[in-house]
Structure formats: C-alpha cells, structure tokens
Amino acid sequence: MYRIGQEEIDAVARAILSRDFFKINGSGQEVLRFEEEWKAFTGSAHALLMTSGYAALASALIGMGIGPGDEVIVPAYTYIATALAVLETGAIPVIADTDETLTLSAEDTEQKITPCTKAIIPVHIQGFPSDMDGLRAVAARHGVRILEDACQSAGGCYHGRPLGSIGDAGAYSFNYFKIITSGEGGALVTNDRTIHERALIYHDASAVAFFGSQLDGISEPLFGGREYRVSDLTGAILREQLKRLPSLRADLKRGQCTIAESLAGILTLAPSHDFEGDTGTTLAFRFESEAETRRFAAKCAEGGIGLTVPIDTGKHVYTNWTQVMEKRGALNPLMDPYRMEANRGAACDYTPEMCSKTLDLLARTAYLAVNPEWSEADIAHVTGVLADAAKG
Ligand SMILES: Cc1ncc(COP(=O)(O)O)c(C=O)c1O
C-alpha cells in the first residue's frame, strides 16, 4: 500500500450512506463502474472484480476449462497462491525455472511442456515484466493458454501493453501489500468471451442468477462454483485508488530510474525484459555470489537502507511451498489433485533442487524497495549509501 486518504474515506462513506452497497444496486454501482474503468485502463474486453488475486487466478483457469488431468506451468519464484490456484481446479502445478530476470523462463517452460499441459502462468513478480514474446511463441507452438499473474504489477507494461492484458487472461491483486489496494481484492481481465462467461458464473455461483440481469447475453450454462463476490465498498475504494495509479507509478519510476542511472558503472542491475515498462516498485541488483550480495546488503543496512535478498522471501520461493512440495492439495483425499486418478503420472516429482538455477539467482540478487514519496534529497541520499556500499 502506497497512497490512501480522504478520497477513499469519502467514497466509502458515500457507498455506506446510500444504504445500498450490495454489488447489484440502484445507487453507486461502484463494482460495475470499477470493472468498466479497469477494462479501459487495461484495454481489455471484459473485467471482473472479486475478493482476491487468488480468486481471479482460479476463476481464469476454470474459465479456460482446466481441471483434473491437466498440468499448468508456474515459475519457481512466485507467491504460493499462484500454485494453489492451480490446485483449486484439480490440475497439477508444474514448477519451472526463471530466467535471469526472475520471471518464467521461456526455455524451461518449453522443456516442461507435456501432452497434459493446458496453460502457463507467467508471473510479473515485483512488477518485472515476463518474457511475453518468448512465452507467447512457446504457447503458440504447443497450443497452450497463457494466464498472466499480474498480482504484483498493476500499472506496469510490456513494450507498451499493460501487464495482465497480453495473454488469454490476466489476474490482479488489490490486497494490502499491492500497488493499489482495497485491503483485499482482485480482478480478472480477458478478451475471451468464454473465459469471461465461465469466470462470471464461477466467482459468484449463487447470486449471479439471482440479482440483476448479470446473465443477460450469457450462453455458458450455470454450474457450481465459489462465492468470490465483493461489495460496493471494495469498488468505491478501488475507483479512487485507480485515479492515483498514473502519478504513483510516475513517482516510483522517477526514483527508480534516477538511482539506476546514478549507479550505472558502479552496480549491476538484474536484466529486464522491459525496464521502462516495469512498475518501478523495485530496483534489483545482481552480484557474482551470495556472499557478495549479503556483504553489500549488510553495508547498506549500516547506512540505514534495508535491502531484501529474495531467497529470504519465504512463500515466494518454491522450496517453501510446504503443501505443494509435500503434495497435500486438499484436506479430503478425494478432493486432492495429487491423489486423483486423472492426475496419475503427472509431472510433480518435486525436489528442493529441481529449480536450482532460480535459487542461485535469488541468492545473488538484492532488492531496493522504491518509495514514491522520496524527495530529490532522499533519492540522492539512498544513491550515496548504495554507492558507498558498493566500494566494499
Ligand atoms: C504473485 C502473486 N500471485 C498471487 C497472489 C494472490 O493474491 P491475493 O493475496 O489477493 O489472493 C499474490 C498476492 O500476494 C501474489 O503476489
């Protein structure tokens, strides 16, 4: 969460005082309006606002028709929710290495594709754009769908196209830790009418046919699903948050790019598939060894600047995905994808070493979190501390 204030308070107050803030209402229609605005912002034909990024990922996969017997490729470095969303559908998450940018490797993805692979999930982690050209070529060669996990990358771009809008579908998170937030929340975008219709039904299984005219023009038959619907309070906050996003991103990029330019020739940045397009939340430095990385981070800490070495980020690293690595996909064994007959023979011989390239990169990278409120003097100070630390 970066910026929030009176505008969000006033918007929520308006929704509450209308006494009419169920999603389908005759008053503010904040959810429906946010969906229209998010469609315009991302350039997508359809958008659904729901409870979380996880819900948006799972609803998109269901929309793609994915289920038991299918494999979905996820990167070894992403929040565990990406893999758990695959398990919700009954499919098996297959874990692939990242490339040097810490996003899904097109090369390893292609190697991990089997006849059971139905989709791949590039994750624009920390707002770093994935190799969408490479991954789209792989997906086209093998006839698999692309679901972008844009949960950490609202507002970012890949060669001018909004992250999350390039694949068959994209999922965003608006939880407390994200670039724009409603405390909890998520959105799904797609240009695919079938994915949209199925996700509409799945994310609001009971009420979608009961309130309003949501099923007008929908041809997919009703089926059982989940309750991932949100109220107008979520929509009201997010409409204000969305107004803040362009200037927020500009301020993040200002700090990030200034520091990167000042440190050119002093420190090495991790490669990027589109540095201009990334969200600006993070500056990633790459080192030759983990020891060098930790020495640098320790020096920065002495100067009052805390860096993160991403191997330390817990459930973002596949080795720490306990229930995935130990293959417990559900409490009830009959609902556990790892024990389903349809998934017998699936590519899930997970071991801690299987994506050692990713682990090595994560241990040789240090993140500086950019603060959009930094003044020119703050930016100069941070740059100075990092430059001094680089001298050893
Ligand atoms: C990369 C990634 N995917 C998925 C999610 C899940 O989002 P949510 O917490 O809104 O369910 C997150 C959230 O932290 C995330 O960072």
Side-chain angles (χ1 to χ4, degrees):
M1 194 269 295
Y2 290 100
R3 289 177 178 161
I4 198 155
Q6 195 60 45
E7 290 84 347
E8 285 79 0
I9 294 170
D10 291 345
V12 172
R14 272 194 306 275
I16 293 174
L17 292 172
S18 75
R19 297 184 170 274
D20 189 19
F21 50 88
F22 185 75
K23 172 180 168 181
I24 304 300
N25 63 64
S27 299
Q29 304 197 338
E30 304 286 354
V31 171
L32 302 181
R33 286 183 200 207
F34 176 77
E35 288 173 347
E36 289 305 312
E37 289 161 6
W38 197 246
K39 272 160 57 176
F41 183 76
T42 60
S44 305
H46 308 283
L48 290 167
L49 179 57
M50 53 186 92
T51 49
S52 66
Y54 167 89
L57 288 166
S59 301
L61 292 169
I62 291 289
M64 291 174 179
I66 285 163
D70 297 335
E71 294 174 4
V72 177
I73 297 179
V74 303
Y77 174 47
T78 177
Y79 187 52
I80 184 174
T82 316
L84 295 183
V86 176
L87 290 170
E88 171 163 324
T89 70
I92 295 293
V94 172
I95 304 171
D97 260 317
T98 69
D99 63 20
E100 295 276 327
T101 72
L102 296 179
T103 63
L104 185 63
S105 155
E107 197 185 335
D108 201 40
T109 296
E110 187 145 38
Q111 282 186 2
K112 299 244 156 93
I113 286 182
T114 74
C116 296
T117 310
K118 291 293 178 320
I120 62 180
I121 309 186
V123 180
H124 310 302
I125 196 98
Q126 301 287 137
F128 309 148
S130 305
D131 176 12
M132 293 309 293
D133 287 344
L135 290 163
R136 283 173 69 189
V138 170
R141 271 198 292 281
H142 298 273
V144 303
R145 312 299 297 266
I146 298 182
L147 167 58
E148 290 176 78
D149 181 334
C151 286
Q152 298 191 6
S153 57
C157 293
Y158 175 77
H159 302 316
R161 296 183 66 184
L163 296 176
S165 73
I166 304 160
D168 296 287
Y172 303 86
S173 170
F174 304 123
N175 79 25
Y176 170 80
F177 302 101
K178 299 302 189 269
I179 298 170
I180 58 171
T181 184
S182 44
E184 298 288 356
L188 158 59
V189 298
T190 182
N191 291 326
D192 183 306
R193 173 117 209 133
T194 305
I195 293 175
H196 170 70
E197 289 193 9
R198 292 171 177 172
L200 173 73
I201 294 166
Y202 186 72
H203 96 289
D204 192 11
S206 67
V208 74
F210 192 53
F211 292 96
S213 52
Q214 297 182 80
L215 292 184
D216 280 6
I218 300 292
S219 51
E220 286 289 312
L222 283 173
F223 58 92
R226 300 288 188 268
E227 288 282 5
Y228 292 151
R229 190 182 61 247
V230 289
S231 82
D232 254 13
L233 305 188
T234 300
I237 299 177
L238 284 172
R239 291 187 68 209
E240 293 305 321
Q241 286 279 290
L242 179 52
K243 288 182 201 160
R244 298 184 191 270
L245 185 49
S247 60
L248 174 58
R249 177 156 183 277
D251 288 340
L252 287 165
K253 287 306 283 185
R254 176 178 53 83
Q256 186 209 40
C257 293
T258 309
I259 296 171
E261 280 158 24
S262 309
L263 294 174
I266 300 174
L267 283 163
T268 305
L269 291 184
S272 170
H273 292 294
D274 182 2
F275 183 74
E276 291 308 309
D278 88 6
T279 55
T281 54
T282 306
L283 201 50
F285 301 101
R286 180 66 43 75
F287 298 88
E288 292 295 323
S289 67
E290 175 166 3
E292 200 188 323
T293 313
R294 298 223 179 258
R295 261 197 309 276
F296 176 74
K299 282 269 173 208
C300 290
E302 282 169 23
I305 306 293
L307 300 189
T308 301
V309 181
I311 193 79
D312 300 337
T313 55
K315 297 292 178 196
H316 293 85
V317 184
Y318 75 97
T319 48
N320 300 319
W321 299 349
T322 311
Q323 58 272 57
V324 175
M325 295 301 283
E326 296 179 6
K327 295 201 253 187
R328 279 188 305 282
L331 183 60
N332 185 314
L334 294 177
M335 297 174 79
D336 184 349
Y338 292 113
R339 301 186 196 192
M340 288 176 185
E341 186 58 32
N343 289 325
R344 193 181 283 266
C348 53
D349 291 331
Y350 309 135
T351 67
E353 306 79 30
M354 66 186 174
C355 291
S356 52
K357 181 180 169 210
T358 304
L359 299 178
D360 173 57
L361 289 166
L362 290 170
R364 291 193 292 111
T365 306
Y367 288 159
L368 171 70
V370 177
N371 183 339
E373 314 308 337
W374 278 338
S375 65
E376 300 306 317
D378 293 331
I379 291 171
H381 171 69
V382 172
T383 308
V385 171
L386 267 62
D388 285 347
K391 288 183 201 142

